[in-house]
Amino acid sequence: MLISLEWLRRYVDFDVEPARLAHALTMAGFPVVAAQEFETGDVQLDVEITSNRPDLQCHLGIAREVATMLGGAVRRPAVALPELSEDRIDVAVEAPELCPLYTARVVRGVAVGPSPEWLRSALEHAGQRSINNVVDVTNFVMLECGHPLHAFDLAKLGGPRLVARRAAGETFTALDGSTVEFDKGECAIADGAAPVALGGVMGGLHSEVGARTTDIVLECALFEPIAIRQASRRHTLRTESSFRFERFVDPECAQWASDRAAALLVECAGAQAVGPICVAGADIPRTAGRVPLRTAQFARVLGAPVAADEVTRVLSALGLERAADPAEGTTEWSPPSWRPDLRDEVDLMEEVARIIGFDRIPDDVRIPVRPQVVSEDTRAARRLRDALVAAGLRECCTEPFVGAGHVDIALVSDAPGLQVVNPMRADESQLRRSVLGPLLRVVRGNQDRGVTHVRFFETAPVYLRSDADDAPDERQLTGIALTGDYADVKGAVDGVLRALGLEHVVAFERGAPTPLRPDRSATLRVGETIVGHVGELSEAALRSFALTRGVAVAEFRTGELLARAVLERPYQHISRFPAVERDLAVVFDDVVRWSEIEDRVREAAGELLASIRPFDAYRGDSIGAGKKSVALRIELRSPVRTLTGDEADACIERVLTALRGLGGVLRS
């Protein structure tokens, strides 16, 4: 925000050098990043305003801060309007969720031309260029109080009526010459015929105030911040108005801003008649309510006490109003309309600390800190999510409601879904019994938009029927859905098991429920307990979800895995002795699982085994039907000495003997 000190002195008296004022603002939390002195002696300060203080995007806002810091009083200019005419304009709000308040008034007899010197100088020293006296007045008031305004040429409007409404598919030409096509979520300011402005962002070229303009309509409104931000980005129209509306504009300033601009139009543009302000929209609450403040908390939070009278002085100077004290040692404060960021007790404490100076807080005082204790379940859940993110998956957050007509897939439970008594939407009348159905609909949504390679996961509760009573059986499940094959999804699940220390606890057993391919799927077991399933979707399942590419999924009971997680691993020194590697190709029956092979190798090699991994598998006529050749690499290492060749060979022979117990034959 560019601030002119000469302009600032209109509202507050201060007798300090610009450098000292810049230092005071910086220490109060608003760094002055640059300063420029003009030939007239005025000084421009470039003040960095944090996003939670939109009230400081104007000179009056900075004046309030300066007055509080230096002990002065703020003078908001008095408005002297001529006797109002009966010249009214009809205004209406048809989209209050986009424009909660819309005001307009007619100002007649303006003489559009250059602005007076004081107005041009003020704008230029605040970083604005002068356009004409009418536009300059609206810009001046915006930079003065922070409330944007807009002036329409009354003769160019399609009638004495302005409406704030939704628009979709309509177009108009903006002031910068660009063509704007309205989206359905955007606010249009329309006359009797068509849109004349993109509400809160930019006016239209065809209703622009020009040299021949004599009568204007002065708009002063409030717009919904998120809608303004979206519209500004969608159309790449970045304006001073949208910058302020998308953050916050004081709802109680609209009347004053309109009156102030009308009075300046009389002074600077020779306006002959000013009509009354015409208002449409609902009343807007002044503040969120009262904020309690305990004086004793200053010592605990800041590390130093603050006197009660000093707290009262600071908060009162910032515009807060003190209510009746609810209890001894506690006060209640009502924030002003321009400070929506003051919601909690700590917000008020920060304001006091900021004004009295953070340098008053001693750096040798111990502030009591209570460490947060993270439960084992929480640690395990974080590790599970981290493992899936590390595998390249993105976490989703889907709705817990599904429709009776939705294609569903549930691997953990085949119980029917629970009906919702009062569904929010008619097509979402059941609670989900699986996370895979919603995840696969996300995959299809991406596919329909041309995103063909996706990797998603979600950890969320599902709701199953309970035999005990009417209450649902709520369980936590983790689902994975990705474009790829069995190896892709199994790799992600393996990463989770390693992260939880369960890689040797959970076994993979070939085969899974019907939605998965029987030859490309597996069931996860801990002993006799089934904890999940993993595999590729069958062709029928792919068709039911309208998926055009192969998709692999996994679903497992999160609680079962987290309860067994081993988060603390014993530390092992890295051996400084070299390893011995041996590659083996062994032929097994096709039904032998890798987990059985790995267990036999680990048992036979004992403490000399550093690692084991498969790197190839072969099936073909050369080894016979129903057989497979598994190539595995075994790494042997002693923690205390270098292994000899004879020791390594003896260990490998023990491994081969163990594999023969599984029917394994060394391939020649």
Side-chain angles (χ1 to χ4, degrees):
M1 178 66 189
L2 298 179
I3 297 295
S4 161
L5 295 192
E6 183 178 303
W7 189 346
L8 193 65
R9 286 190 171 92
R10 295 170 179 261
Y11 317 116
V12 62
D13 294 325
F14 55 91
D15 188 19
V16 296
E17 295 296 322
R20 184 183 168 193
L21 181 63
H23 176 75
L25 287 170
T26 300
M27 296 307 295
F30 311 108
V32 176
V33 296
Q36 178 183 356
E37 184 172 358
F38 297 97
E39 294 180 356
T40 60
D42 189 16
V43 176
Q44 178 195 84
L45 298 182
D46 188 353
V47 185
E48 189 175 295
I49 307 300
T50 54
S51 59
N52 68 319
R53 292 298 305 274
D55 61 297
L56 298 185
Q57 297 290 345
C58 62
H59 283 73
L60 271 171
I62 296 294
R64 285 191 290 263
E65 288 291 318
V66 172
T68 304
M69 291 184 298
L70 303 181
V74 177
R75 302 181 299 273
R76 191 167 79 164
V79 175
L81 283 174
E83 182 177 350
L84 298 180
S85 68
E86 292 299 323
D87 203 352
R88 294 180 176 271
I89 183 169
D90 186 18
V91 294
V93 171
E94 295 180 358
E97 70 281 4
L98 299 178
C99 177
L101 177 69
Y102 191 84
T103 77
R105 73 193 323 154
V106 175
V107 180
R108 293 188 182 273
V110 297
V112 178
S115 295
E117 176 58 31
W118 71 265
L119 181 54
R120 289 201 308 271
S121 176
L123 290 175
E124 290 170 358
H125 291 184
Q128 295 277 327
R129 66 183 181 90
S130 177
I131 299 175
N132 59 54
N133 48 6
V134 174
V135 175
D136 288 355
V137 162
T138 60
N139 286 336
F140 179 86
V141 175
M142 178 185 66
L143 295 179
E144 181 177 50
C145 69
H147 202 124
L149 302 99
H150 183 70
F152 299 99
D153 187 329
L154 178 59
K156 297 177 182 178
L157 296 178
R161 175 178 170 82
L162 288 175
V163 182
R165 60 173 173 82
R166 285 183 178 270
E170 300 173 87
T171 61
F172 90 114
T173 304
L175 282 171
D176 65 349
S178 62
T179 299
V180 173
E181 181 176 350
F182 284 93
D183 184 79
K184 62 182 179 180
E186 295 172 350
C187 181
I189 307 303
D191 59 11
V196 293
L198 176 58
V201 180
M202 185 175 287
L205 185 64
H206 299 303
S207 59
E208 179 185 18
V209 172
R212 297 183 178 181
T213 300
T214 57
D215 303 324
I216 67 169
V217 175
L218 186 63
E219 170 198 275
C220 188
L222 292 175
F223 297 95
E224 203 280 322
I226 294 179
I228 295 298
R229 185 179 303 120
Q230 291 173 341
S232 176
R233 291 182 179 179
R234 184 179 296 114
H235 302 291
T236 61
L237 295 175
R238 189 73 169 171
T239 63
E240 292 285 347
S241 294
S242 67
F243 179 82
R244 287 163 173 80
F245 278 128
E246 70 185 24
R247 284 160 175 79
F248 171 80
V249 171
D250 182 4
E252 292 193 359
C253 190
Q255 172 82 49
W256 185 89
S258 180
D259 290 347
R260 173 69 164 159
L264 288 174
L265 286 172
V266 173
E267 176 185 344
C268 302
Q272 300 299 309
V274 176
I277 187 168
C278 303
V279 181
D283 292 334
I284 300 173
R286 180 175 182 273
T287 61
R290 296 177 179 178
V291 181
L293 176 63
R294 295 164 291 175
T295 308
Q297 289 293 93
F298 281 93
R300 187 186 71 82
V301 176
L302 300 182
V306 181
D309 58 345
E310 191 165 19
V311 172
T312 299
R313 178 189 67 80
V314 171
L315 295 182
S316 298
L318 288 171
L320 285 85
E321 295 180 359
R322 183 172 177 174
D325 297 346
E328 185 178 354
T330 301
T331 56
E332 280 191 343
W333 296 86
S334 296
S337 59
W338 61 82
R339 291 298 303 273
D341 57 307
L342 301 180
R343 301 185 183 94
D344 301 310
E345 182 180 50
V346 292
D347 296 329
L348 303 189
M349 298 174 68
E350 181 184 7
E351 289 299 293
V352 173
R354 187 173 61 81
I355 296 301
I356 68 174
F358 290 113
D359 54 344
R360 284 183 51 180
I361 301 175
D363 56 9
D364 59 348
V365 174
R366 293 188 177 184
I367 301 176
V369 176
R370 181 166 53 193
Q372 181 184 11
V373 179
V374 181
S375 67
E376 291 295 304
D377 286 346
T378 301
R379 291 180 58 207
R382 289 176 180 174
R383 193 167 291 186
L384 181 149
R385 282 184 167 87
D386 290 345
L388 290 172
V389 172
L393 278 75
R394 294 176 179 269
E395 185 170 10
C396 289
C397 183
T398 61
E399 294 286 345
F401 305 103
V402 296
H406 285 174
V407 179
D408 202 359
I409 175 174
L411 301 182
V412 174
S413 172
D414 57 359
L418 291 169
Q419 293 292 326
V420 179
V421 177
N422 295 310
M424 292 186 292
R425 302 186 186 94
D427 60 342
E428 295 183 352
S429 59
Q430 293 184 354
L431 290 171
R432 65 182 169 201
R433 60 195 182 102
S434 165
V435 293
L436 284 184
L439 271 183
L440 289 172
R441 282 187 280 278
V442 174
V443 173
R444 186 183 61 200
N446 278 267
Q447 169 195 281
D448 294 344
R449 290 163 177 79
V451 183
T452 57
H453 183 75
V454 295
R455 298 170 68 87
F456 295 131
F457 80 94
E458 181 176 15
T459 297
V462 299
Y463 308 91
L464 309 176
R465 292 188 180 275
S466 174
D467 297 333
D469 49 37
D470 294 336
D473 179 11
E474 183 176 332
R475 301 182 184 180
Q476 200 83 1
L477 297 185
T478 297
I480 299 172
L482 52 83
T483 49
D485 57 17
Y486 174 76
D488 292 321
V489 71
K490 184 178 183 295
V493 175
D494 284 339
V496 170
L497 298 179
R498 285 194 299 271
L500 299 179
L502 301 177
E503 62 267 39
H504 303 307
V505 176
V506 178
F508 288 80
E509 182 179 290
R510 178 176 296 182
T514 304
L516 304 184
R517 290 179 50 177
D519 59 330
R520 303 286 290 173
S521 62
T523 296
L524 279 63
R525 289 183 179 271
V526 177
E528 296 300 319
T529 304
I530 296 177
V531 296
H533 303 279
V534 57
E536 297 177 17
L537 287 180
S538 64
E539 290 296 328
L542 290 173
R543 287 195 300 271
S544 66
F545 280 94
L547 297 172
T548 58
R549 295 173 60 90
V551 175
V553 299
E555 188 172 53
F556 49 84
R557 302 176 188 268
T558 313
E560 297 281 352
L561 297 186
L562 299 187
R564 294 176 168 85
V566 181
L567 303 182
E568 304 299 333
R569 306 294 181 89
Y571 173 74
Q572 292 181 338
H573 286 282
I574 298 176
S575 176
R576 58 189 179 89
F577 299 101
V580 177
E581 287 188 351
R582 293 286 191 272
D583 291 346
L584 301 177
V586 185
V587 178
F588 297 95
D589 290 337
D590 209 14
V591 296
V592 177
R593 300 193 302 270
W594 167 252
S595 59
E596 297 175 300
I597 299 172
E598 184 180 16
D599 289 343
R600 292 296 181 99
V601 172
R602 289 187 180 280
E603 183 179 354
E607 64 177 10
L608 294 182
L609 182 66
S611 67
I612 172 177
R613 64 182 181 88
F615 63 89
D616 192 20
Y618 170 76
R619 293 175 178 85
D621 295 338
S622 62
I623 59 174
K627 298 288 186 178
K628 63 180 177 183
S629 174
V630 179
L632 56 151
R633 178 161 296 159
I634 298 174
E635 182 181 289
L636 305 175
R637 190 194 302 268
S638 170
V640 295
R641 56 187 172 80
T642 301
L643 289 178
T644 64
D646 291 340
E647 289 174 322
D649 292 341
C651 183
I652 294 299
E653 187 57 41
R654 292 196 301 272
V655 168
L656 290 173
T657 300
L659 295 179
R660 292 187 190 104
L662 290 175
V665 177
L666 187 65
R667 188 179 176 187
S668 57

